[in-house]
Structure formats: structure tokens, C-alpha cells
Amino acid sequence: MTVDTIKIELGDRSYEIGIGAGNLDGIGALCKKLGLSGTAAVVSNTTVAPLYFQRVEASLQAAGFRTLLVSLPDGESYKNSATLNLIYDALVDASLDRGSFIVALGGGVIGDMAGFAAASYLRGIPFVQVPTTLLSQVDSSVGGKTGINHPRGKNLIGAFYQPRAVLIDVATLDTLPEREFRAGLGEIVKYGAVLDRDFFSFLEDNAKLLLARDRDSLIHAVSRSCAIKGYVVEQDEREGGLRAVLNYGHTLGHAVETLTGYTNYLHGEAVAIGMVQAARISQQYGFCSQEDHDRIVSLIVSLGLPTELPPFPAQAYAEALSHDKKVRQSGLLFICNNGIGGHRMERIKDLTALLEICGIGE
Ligand code: NAD
Ligand code: GLY
């Protein structure tokens, strides 16, 4: 049942996020309500489709849609143009026209790829996000960033393309591996740390319940995260300003992922390490107290997430940071927390000094 609905106001691209437990069976009725028609191409992968496709198919068919399953290989390493072509091939083989639509059933990899296929197939067909990882429920399914990786960089090819709706069933998280679940909690901490002090306190008070996947706590955490992200996207859909705040913890997190070849850490784990360092830098710059810093670190530790930067030379970190998309002539755009629940965007030119604060010297 859907227990909470969040509206993302983007003019004629507005949409609703429905959050509940067991509401997956409502996908057919939702698509009908949206006025969608024809064939629903469900893009999923070899892990998620065996778990949830049958229910999605039954619901879509009961609502009068034809269905087509496009099951892709599982993993970030398949988020590329070859796999994207598999989606196009399936849509062309089934002669899907503009009267059809895509349902993205899976985590962020599937959501990003299926969303980009929807943005580009026949110059755009509608799509609905059905995210099944915690990270995709609180972050990637909301806000319209879609795309694939290029051999030379992550998410280099893509489009801003908003879904027609997002259906979130937290019961699908029951089958999510523990490590993936915790990594998703890392992205949730971000919203509290830089955008909502009360939500941060909620996370502190309910860390144990969240780790136990308590339904009510999860629904609240997912709803609040979607509402905060929605607010940011409404202000700045194309990341010209405020949306960059969502990169809190990501600057050093991405450096960690790059240096470790995307194999040692899940994205949310690298972001957790990045948030600990961002809190340390914010405290050193005088933007937050030692107590605020300690609270951020304690919450991340209590959620079972890593905090330490892996040991690489300062030069390697500086090199990785200088490739960050956000580096301009004026310096690296670094998101600091301003107390807890607030933020400051700083341009940093002296990367050596920044790394020294993090304990990374020459
Ligand atoms: P993922 O999609 O790779 O999913 C993680 C693993 O969990 C996969 O093996 C998947 O098959 C499996 N899985 C998914 N749902 C499951 C379920 N309910 N039960 C059991 N297993 C399940 O990873 P992710 O963390 O969801 O997403 C990461 C991707 O999201 C990255 O490619 C990243 O670039 C992207 N991303 C996009 C945005 C955006 O705004 N578009 C934001 C953040 C991240
Ligand atoms: N995940 C960051 C963004 O959507 O902007």
C-alpha cells in the first residue's frame, strides 16, 4: 500500500513519488492513471527480474498493458553503450512505437540506463522508475539524471529526462544484500548533514531500527530523502547551483572510487568516507563545531560504514581530485557542512592544504 506521496513540481514535467510497502502490485493501475498505453517494456536485470518481474507483469497485464521483459546483465561494468544497445534492439525487435513506455525495475544502474533509453528511443518515450535498492529509492530514481558510463569516465553520456512517476516499494529491500543496504544509508546521511538538521537527529535516534530494516522507520527515511532531493531538484533541475549540494561527500568519495578502481568500495561507502573528511574540513575551516563533526562521524560509524581514506600518496589524491567534473579555473567546488543541516559551497585552489587536513601529506 502506498502510504506517502511526494510531488515534484517541474511544470509540465512534474510527477509523483509514491512510497509504501507492498505497493509494487499497484504498478499497472499507476500506469493506467498516468494515461500510458500500449506495451510496457520492463527493463531489469538477471538478479532483480527473477525476484519481482512476475508481480510487475501480472499487475501491468491486469491493467490492460502488453508487456515485454528486457533483462540485462547485472553490474556497473555493464552500464555502457553495448548494454544500452541491447535495450534499443529489444524495443526495435518488438516494433515499439511512441505509444509505448519503459518501466525501470532495479537499482541505479538499471534506472540510469533505462531512463536514458527512454530519453533517446524515438527521441523520447515515457518511463516510470521502480527503484529496488535503497540508493536508487532515495537518490537516483528522483531528479531525472539518466545515462551510461564511457570507458574514460563515469556517467559521461546522458540526459536530464524526468520519469512520469516513481513507485517505491520498501518491501523490495527485504532481498537487498546487507552491504548494498548500508551503502544506501550513506546517501541518506548526506541529506540530513547538509539540508535538514531534524532529519539528521531522526537518523541518529533510529539508526538501529533502520539497520534492522524496520518498515515505518524506512518509509520515513525514504520519504524525507525524496522530499529533500525533490526540493533541491525543483530549485535547480540542471545543476547550475544548489543541486551541487548533493555532492556532499562525493568529491573525495569519487577520488577514493577512482584510486581503488571502483572495486573495493560501493559508491555509498566511498561517499561515507568522503562525508567524514568533508566534516573534518568544515570543522577546520570554522564552519562547524567539533561536536557537529563528531556527530557526523558517529552516525556514519553507527550505520556500519567506513570512515578512513585508503592510503594513497597525496599526489595520487590531488590527481584524482583534479579530474573532478567540478574543478574549474577558480578551484575545486567543495561542499562543506555549515553546522548540521546547513551547507557552504567553497572553491578550493590549494588541494595540498585540503589533503593535509585529511591527514594525507606528501
Ligand atoms: P545497482 O543498480 O548496481 O544495484 C546494486 C546491486 O543490487 C545489483 O547487483 C542489483 O542487481 C542488486 N539489486 C537491486 N535491487 C535488488 C533487490 N531488491 N534485491 C536484491 N538485489 C537487488 O547499484 P545502486 O547502488 O542501486 O546504483 C548505483 C548506480 O546509480 C551507479 O551507476 C550510479 O552512477 C547511479 N546513480 C545515479 C544517480 C542519479 O541521480 N541518476 C544518483 C546516484 C547514483
Ligand atoms: N545524485 C546527485 C544528483 O542527482 O544531482
mmCIF file of all heavy atoms in Angstrom, residues 163-182:
data_model
loop_
_atom_site.group_PDB
_atom_site.id
_atom_site.type_symbol
_atom_site.label_atom_id
_atom_site.label_comp_id
_atom_site.label_asym_id
_atom_site.label_seq_id
_atom_site.Cartn_x
_atom_site.Cartn_y
_atom_site.Cartn_z
ATOM 1 N N PRO A 163 11.216 11.065 -15.089
ATOM 2 C CA PRO A 163 10.236 9.980 -15.229
ATOM 3 C C PRO A 163 8.812 10.532 -15.121
ATOM 4 O O PRO A 163 8.620 11.656 -14.662
ATOM 5 C CB PRO A 163 10.554 9.082 -14.024
ATOM 6 C CG PRO A 163 11.136 10.013 -13.009
ATOM 7 C CD PRO A 163 11.877 11.077 -13.788
ATOM 8 N N ARG A 164 7.832 9.735 -15.540
ATOM 9 C CA ARG A 164 6.433 10.148 -15.388
ATOM 10 C C ARG A 164 5.943 9.888 -13.973
ATOM 11 O O ARG A 164 4.965 10.479 -13.525
ATOM 12 C CB ARG A 164 5.560 9.393 -16.407
ATOM 13 C CG ARG A 164 5.870 9.778 -17.852
ATOM 14 C CD ARG A 164 5.373 11.189 -18.174
ATOM 15 N NE ARG A 164 3.944 11.291 -17.959
ATOM 16 C CZ ARG A 164 3.016 10.944 -18.846
ATOM 17 N NH1 ARG A 164 3.382 10.556 -20.038
ATOM 18 N NH2 ARG A 164 1.735 11.043 -18.559
ATOM 19 N N ALA A 165 6.610 8.964 -13.277
ATOM 20 C CA ALA A 165 6.277 8.674 -11.878
ATOM 21 C C ALA A 165 7.386 7.810 -11.298
ATOM 22 O O ALA A 165 8.162 7.201 -12.042
ATOM 23 C CB ALA A 165 4.949 7.928 -11.772
ATOM 24 N N VAL A 166 7.454 7.787 -9.969
ATOM 25 C CA VAL A 166 8.376 6.875 -9.280
ATOM 26 C C VAL A 166 7.529 6.071 -8.295
ATOM 27 O O VAL A 166 6.767 6.648 -7.513
ATOM 28 C CB VAL A 166 9.475 7.650 -8.511
ATOM 29 C CG1 VAL A 166 10.460 6.683 -7.864
ATOM 30 C CG2 VAL A 166 10.210 8.631 -9.431
ATOM 31 N N LEU A 167 7.641 4.732 -8.379
ATOM 32 C CA LEU A 167 6.921 3.879 -7.426
ATOM 33 C C LEU A 167 7.956 3.200 -6.538
ATOM 34 O O LEU A 167 8.812 2.454 -7.037
ATOM 35 C CB LEU A 167 6.077 2.841 -8.170
ATOM 36 C CG LEU A 167 5.187 1.935 -7.307
ATOM 37 C CD1 LEU A 167 3.980 1.449 -8.097
ATOM 38 C CD2 LEU A 167 5.942 0.729 -6.756
ATOM 39 N N ILE A 168 7.895 3.494 -5.240
ATOM 40 C CA ILE A 168 8.884 2.931 -4.310
ATOM 41 C C ILE A 168 8.188 1.956 -3.353
ATOM 42 O O ILE A 168 7.298 2.342 -2.591
ATOM 43 C CB ILE A 168 9.572 4.055 -3.494
ATOM 44 C CG1 ILE A 168 10.332 4.988 -4.442
ATOM 45 C CG2 ILE A 168 10.510 3.459 -2.442
ATOM 46 C CD1 ILE A 168 11.034 6.164 -3.752
ATOM 47 N N ASP A 169 8.617 0.698 -3.420
ATOM 48 C CA ASP A 169 8.109 -0.320 -2.504
ATOM 49 C C ASP A 169 9.278 -0.738 -1.612
ATOM 50 O O ASP A 169 10.181 -1.463 -2.057
ATOM 51 C CB ASP A 169 7.573 -1.518 -3.310
ATOM 52 C CG ASP A 169 6.991 -2.603 -2.405
ATOM 53 O OD1 ASP A 169 7.177 -2.519 -1.168
ATOM 54 O OD2 ASP A 169 6.359 -3.531 -2.950
ATOM 55 N N VAL A 170 9.262 -0.277 -0.344
ATOM 56 C CA VAL A 170 10.405 -0.586 0.531
ATOM 57 C C VAL A 170 10.483 -2.084 0.853
ATOM 58 O O VAL A 170 11.531 -2.566 1.305
ATOM 59 C CB VAL A 170 10.419 0.260 1.841
ATOM 60 C CG1 VAL A 170 10.529 1.740 1.547
ATOM 61 C CG2 VAL A 170 9.235 -0.058 2.723
ATOM 62 N N ALA A 171 9.383 -2.820 0.609
ATOM 63 C CA ALA A 171 9.427 -4.271 0.856
ATOM 64 C C ALA A 171 10.412 -4.951 -0.099
ATOM 65 O O ALA A 171 10.934 -6.032 0.211
ATOM 66 C CB ALA A 171 8.036 -4.883 0.718
ATOM 67 N N THR A 172 10.691 -4.329 -1.228
ATOM 68 C CA THR A 172 11.660 -4.948 -2.148
ATOM 69 C C THR A 172 13.064 -4.933 -1.538
ATOM 70 O O THR A 172 13.939 -5.690 -1.977
ATOM 71 C CB THR A 172 11.700 -4.238 -3.529
ATOM 72 O OG1 THR A 172 12.082 -2.867 -3.346
ATOM 73 C CG2 THR A 172 10.365 -4.309 -4.239
ATOM 74 N N LEU A 173 13.261 -4.086 -0.525
ATOM 75 C CA LEU A 173 14.594 -4.027 0.104
ATOM 76 C C LEU A 173 14.865 -5.271 0.954
ATOM 77 O O LEU A 173 16.007 -5.511 1.356
ATOM 78 C CB LEU A 173 14.723 -2.765 0.967
ATOM 79 C CG LEU A 173 14.536 -1.439 0.219
ATOM 80 C CD1 LEU A 173 14.625 -0.257 1.176
ATOM 81 C CD2 LEU A 173 15.567 -1.297 -0.898
ATOM 82 N N ASP A 174 13.809 -6.070 1.236
ATOM 83 C CA ASP A 174 13.998 -7.291 2.048
ATOM 84 C C ASP A 174 15.038 -8.218 1.417
ATOM 85 O O ASP A 174 15.709 -8.967 2.122
ATOM 86 C CB ASP A 174 12.668 -8.065 2.181
ATOM 87 C CG ASP A 174 11.691 -7.331 3.089
ATOM 88 O OD1 ASP A 174 12.101 -6.337 3.730
ATOM 89 O OD2 ASP A 174 10.513 -7.747 3.135
ATOM 90 N N THR A 175 15.144 -8.185 0.096
ATOM 91 C CA THR A 175 16.067 -9.113 -0.574
ATOM 92 C C THR A 175 17.422 -8.468 -0.896
ATOM 93 O O THR A 175 18.288 -9.110 -1.483
ATOM 94 C CB THR A 175 15.440 -9.615 -1.898
ATOM 95 O OG1 THR A 175 15.021 -8.480 -2.668
ATOM 96 C CG2 THR A 175 14.253 -10.530 -1.646
ATOM 97 N N LEU A 176 17.570 -7.199 -0.529
ATOM 98 C CA LEU A 176 18.816 -6.486 -0.870
ATOM 99 C C LEU A 176 19.951 -6.936 0.053
ATOM 100 O O LEU A 176 19.781 -6.970 1.269
ATOM 101 C CB LEU A 176 18.589 -4.974 -0.725
ATOM 102 C CG LEU A 176 19.676 -4.074 -1.293
ATOM 103 C CD1 LEU A 176 19.750 -4.190 -2.819
ATOM 104 C CD2 LEU A 176 19.425 -2.618 -0.903
ATOM 105 N N PRO A 177 21.117 -7.288 -0.511
ATOM 106 C CA PRO A 177 22.237 -7.697 0.352
ATOM 107 C C PRO A 177 22.584 -6.597 1.363
ATOM 108 O O PRO A 177 22.481 -5.405 1.064
ATOM 109 C CB PRO A 177 23.394 -7.906 -0.639
ATOM 110 C CG PRO A 177 22.738 -8.161 -1.957
ATOM 111 C CD PRO A 177 21.450 -7.384 -1.948
ATOM 112 N N GLU A 178 23.018 -7.032 2.564
ATOM 113 C CA GLU A 178 23.281 -6.116 3.680
ATOM 114 C C GLU A 178 24.234 -4.975 3.296
ATOM 115 O O GLU A 178 24.008 -3.811 3.631
ATOM 116 C CB GLU A 178 23.871 -6.939 4.844
ATOM 117 C CG GLU A 178 24.193 -6.157 6.099
ATOM 118 C CD GLU A 178 22.963 -5.546 6.782
ATOM 119 O OE1 GLU A 178 21.827 -5.986 6.503
ATOM 120 O OE2 GLU A 178 23.153 -4.604 7.580
ATOM 121 N N ARG A 179 25.276 -5.313 2.575
ATOM 122 C CA ARG A 179 26.272 -4.277 2.256
ATOM 123 C C ARG A 179 25.669 -3.195 1.349
ATOM 124 O O ARG A 179 25.937 -2.006 1.508
ATOM 125 C CB ARG A 179 27.479 -4.950 1.585
ATOM 126 C CG ARG A 179 28.688 -4.091 1.622
ATOM 127 C CD ARG A 179 29.923 -4.794 1.119
ATOM 128 N NE ARG A 179 30.875 -3.792 0.680
ATOM 129 C CZ ARG A 179 31.826 -3.985 -0.196
ATOM 130 N NH1 ARG A 179 31.982 -5.179 -0.743
ATOM 131 N NH2 ARG A 179 32.635 -3.001 -0.535
ATOM 132 N N GLU A 180 24.840 -3.629 0.387
ATOM 133 C CA GLU A 180 24.174 -2.667 -0.502
ATOM 134 C C GLU A 180 23.218 -1.792 0.308
ATOM 135 O O GLU A 180 23.089 -0.591 0.056
ATOM 136 C CB GLU A 180 23.378 -3.399 -1.603
ATOM 137 C CG GLU A 180 24.208 -4.186 -2.593
ATOM 138 C CD GLU A 180 24.954 -3.289 -3.591
ATOM 139 O OE1 GLU A 180 24.720 -2.071 -3.619
ATOM 140 O OE2 GLU A 180 25.795 -3.838 -4.328
ATOM 141 N N PHE A 181 22.542 -2.422 1.275
ATOM 142 C CA PHE A 181 21.588 -1.669 2.092
ATOM 143 C C PHE A 181 22.305 -0.564 2.877
ATOM 144 O O PHE A 181 21.900 0.599 2.884
ATOM 145 C CB PHE A 181 20.860 -2.633 3.039
ATOM 146 C CG PHE A 181 19.820 -1.954 3.876
ATOM 147 C CD1 PHE A 181 18.572 -1.667 3.360
ATOM 148 C CD2 PHE A 181 20.104 -1.583 5.188
ATOM 149 C CE1 PHE A 181 17.611 -1.021 4.133
ATOM 150 C CE2 PHE A 181 19.152 -0.937 5.960
ATOM 151 C CZ PHE A 181 17.901 -0.658 5.431
ATOM 152 N N ARG A 182 23.415 -0.923 3.518
ATOM 153 C CA ARG A 182 24.164 0.067 4.311
ATOM 154 C C ARG A 182 24.698 1.188 3.420
ATOM 155 O O ARG A 182 24.730 2.352 3.822
ATOM 156 C CB ARG A 182 25.329 -0.599 5.040
ATOM 157 C CG ARG A 182 24.850 -1.440 6.195
ATOM 158 C CD ARG A 182 26.004 -2.146 6.886
ATOM 159 N NE ARG A 182 25.453 -3.093 7.838
ATOM 160 C CZ ARG A 182 25.795 -3.171 9.108
ATOM 161 N NH1 ARG A 182 26.721 -2.371 9.586
ATOM 162 N NH2 ARG A 182 25.240 -4.039 9.905
#
